[in-house]
Amino acid sequence: MKRIPALQCLVLLLLILMTVPCLAAEEEPSEFGTLTGQARMYYFTQRNKTTGEDFDNIRESLAVGGFLKYETPWLAEYFGAGVAGYTTIPFLDMFNERDEGGTGLLSSTNQGFIALGEAYFKARYSQTEGRIWRQRIETPFINGNDSRMVPQTFEAYGVKSSDIEDVELSVYWVDKEKARDTELFVSMSEMAGLQGTSTGVFMVGADWQAMENLPTRFWNYYAPDMDNTFFAQLKYTFGEAEAVHYGILFQGVDQRSVGDERRGEYNTGEAGVLGTVGFAGWTFDVGGTVVDNSAGIRNSWGTYPFFNNMMSYAFNRAGEKALLFGVAYDFERLGAKGFTVNIKTGFGYTPDSGRSASFDRNEYNLNLGYQFDGDLKGLSIQNRWSYQDADNDFGGTDGYQVRLRLQYNFQLM
């Protein structure tokens, strides 16, 4: 990937300079449209054991960058457009060795890039809006996965409608995707590992608020000659928000090969239930998932939507049974508004024999976050830690991961 440091540094400088006066910027759009952005600095390292007790397999990056996005006002009440440029730039060579890339912050060799991540035309009528070409998409299995420097964006064509009360319907053809570590858009089938192919994905979804405290999601993804994925989610909450409150989350997925079955023949699924109890700033989670023995769940176009998706493991291998325990606390009650702590542990078990045999694995996550208020509203700090403990006797590898992100969201007009 070609490096263009002078241009990238200029873009970063402009981002920083434009951030300063926007501290007091109004959030209401002007008659000339909206200009929003984000400045981000990110450190990431994953270190695995390969021999002995040393964590000597290292991936490490430190990057700065962000995005600027302009969106026109609605023209004649029906038409509009938007464009967004994204950049990520290596910062300090000592953290960006070429052979220690693969973190997702930069290219695979720790080089920076600039991408035209969004460029779309939109039209609306009543509560229905259509968009064409490059755009961000956030759905269960196709999404931005914005946990590094630059999100995934897509070349897609579709409509979203809220004309039916309590229901949001979406119908899209998604043709290409730009991954987080490149400025290039490639076909959805290539992103799924089928090099030299040019197939997209047809997706349709319904987000239905069945009751005030029962939001549901039903999404289907059809990739011709690859597979069909159906995802369902139901979440029921009850109790008093200011006292003890409860939640029950069900998630399920059915995935099977279709057509020419270019990725092989498979028919699999996963189901999970999560229970939540919250009170006095505390939140406690207990959940479990089960994956069919025949095959693992394939997820090529975004972050995995299940609640047990940890920093490193998604616990979606063939035959994997997983347990999740979590506890979180919001320090607002103690006078530290914006400061949160979240601890999660996941335990994954697979068969010891047969075609689904694999190593058992556990993961432990610590998440620390702080969002500033007042004059520094929009500024946030996130620090995340992960330790991965895998059964070495069956080929597993232990490792740890550290993420530190400083982010500032702003609006210039």
Side-chain angles (χ1 to χ4, degrees):
M1 195 173 297
K2 191 175 180 180
R3 179 179 287 184
I4 41 178
L7 181 56
Q8 291 173 341
C9 289
L10 176 60
V11 171
L12 178 64
L13 180 61
L14 289 174
L15 273 172
I16 295 172
L17 290 176
M18 288 187 294
T19 297
V20 176
C22 77
L23 288 172
E26 296 292 333
E27 295 185 358
E28 293 297 323
S30 76
E31 60 179 316
F32 303 105
T34 59
L35 181 61
T36 57
Q38 182 182 92
R40 183 179 283 187
M41 174 179 283
Y42 208 132
Y43 172 77
F44 181 105
T45 187
Q46 170 72 40
R47 305 187 179 216
N48 298 328
K49 291 181 181 179
T50 52
T51 58
E53 295 300 314
D54 295 330
F55 294 91
D56 50 5
N57 185 320
I58 300 173
R59 288 182 288 147
E60 184 177 48
S61 302
L62 175 62
V64 292
F67 74 85
L68 277 176
K69 178 176 181 177
Y70 172 70
E71 196 165 38
T72 69
W74 286 105
L75 307 174
E77 298 296 326
Y78 297 110
F79 305 102
V83 60
Y86 294 82
T87 186
T88 178
I89 308 164
F91 184 63
L92 300 178
D93 290 342
M94 62 182 293
F95 295 110
N96 293 291
E97 300 291 340
R98 291 178 63 89
D99 60 349
E100 294 181 357
T103 64
L105 297 188
L106 300 157
S107 74
S108 59
T109 56
N110 270 339
Q111 297 187 60
F113 56 88
I114 293 176
L116 180 62
E118 297 178 64
Y120 57 83
F121 173 78
K122 60 181 182 177
R124 70 177 181 180
Y125 181 76
S126 186
Q127 299 298 312
T128 297
E129 180 180 311
R131 293 193 179 194
I132 61 173
W133 213 43
R134 294 185 176 179
Q135 57 190 283
R136 293 192 66 165
I137 293 176
E138 297 299 336
T139 74
F141 271 83
I142 296 180
N143 53 70
N145 195 8
D146 191 15
S147 59
R148 298 293 190 273
M149 281 295 295
V150 175
Q152 297 174 166
T153 57
F154 305 86
E155 291 185 4
Y157 312 84
V159 296
K160 183 181 295 185
S161 176
S162 300
D163 280 318
I164 302 175
E165 186 177 2
D166 299 325
V167 178
E168 183 176 81
L169 299 174
S170 300
V171 180
Y172 274 81
W173 172 259
V174 187
D175 196 46
K176 295 182 179 180
E177 175 183 335
K178 183 201 71 61
R180 298 178 298 181
D181 59 356
T182 180
E183 76 277 21
L184 302 177
F185 284 78
V186 301
S187 70
M188 301 297 279
S189 54
E190 281 201 56
M191 286 297 298
L194 299 176
Q195 299 301 316
T197 62
S198 58
T199 302
V201 178
F202 177 71
M203 71 175 186
V204 57
D207 292 328
W208 175 36
Q209 189 78 29
M211 296 187 298
E212 183 179 357
N213 56 347
L214 183 61
T216 62
R217 310 195 76 185
F218 304 96
W219 284 81
N220 195 78
Y221 305 83
Y222 178 75
D225 295 324
M226 287 191 294
D227 55 35
N228 188 87
T229 302
F230 175 75
F231 174 81
Q233 175 177 296
L234 295 87
K235 183 177 183 180
Y236 180 63
T237 58
F238 56 99
E240 298 294 331
E242 299 302 321
V244 181
H245 50 280
Y246 309 89
I248 300 175
L249 174 70
F250 166 79
Q251 294 179 312
V253 63
D254 176 271
Q255 188 174 79
R256 59 191 66 199
S257 56
V258 297
D260 291 341
E261 299 177 325
R262 292 176 178 174
R263 294 202 292 179
E265 182 180 359
Y266 50 92
N267 184 348
T268 187
E270 181 178 5
V273 177
L274 176 73
T276 299
V277 178
F279 65 93
W282 291 94
T283 303
F284 299 92
D285 294 319
V286 178
T289 57
V290 179
V291 182
D292 188 272
N293 281 319
S294 59
I297 305 298
R298 304 177 187 219
N299 180 49
S300 305
W301 307 303
T303 189
Y304 198 58
F306 269 68
F307 58 80
N308 63 348
N309 184 28
M310 307 280 279
M311 289 173 61
S312 297
Y313 298 150
F315 298 107
N316 57 356
R317 298 174 298 171
E320 189 160 29
K321 299 176 177 65
L323 292 173
L324 174 83
F325 301 94
V327 58
Y329 186 70
D330 186 335
F331 283 79
E332 182 176 0
R333 290 174 178 264
L334 299 182
K337 182 180 179 181
F339 180 49
T340 57
V341 175
N342 181 293
I343 300 173
K344 289 183 178 180
T345 59
F347 305 92
Y349 308 94
T350 52
D352 294 331
S353 60
R355 68 174 188 173
S356 299
S358 186
F359 54 87
D360 294 341
R361 56 185 183 176
N362 307 322
E363 183 174 352
Y364 310 89
N365 290 174
L366 170 64
N367 303 289
L368 308 172
Y370 185 73
Q371 294 188 353
F372 291 81
D373 204 354
D375 290 340
L376 293 179
K377 185 177 181 180
L379 180 65
S380 63
I381 300 175
Q382 183 184 75
N383 188 201
R384 307 185 69 191
W385 299 74
S386 166
Y387 184 79
Q388 305 106 46
D389 178 19
D391 188 344
N392 304 140
D393 294 335
F394 278 81
T397 301
D398 296 345
Y400 72 88
Q401 185 180 122
V402 180
R403 306 182 193 179
L404 179 60
R405 187 191 74 188
L406 178 66
Q407 178 175 298
Y408 185 63
N409 299 320
F410 57 90
Q411 179 170 328
L412 300 177
M413 71 178 203

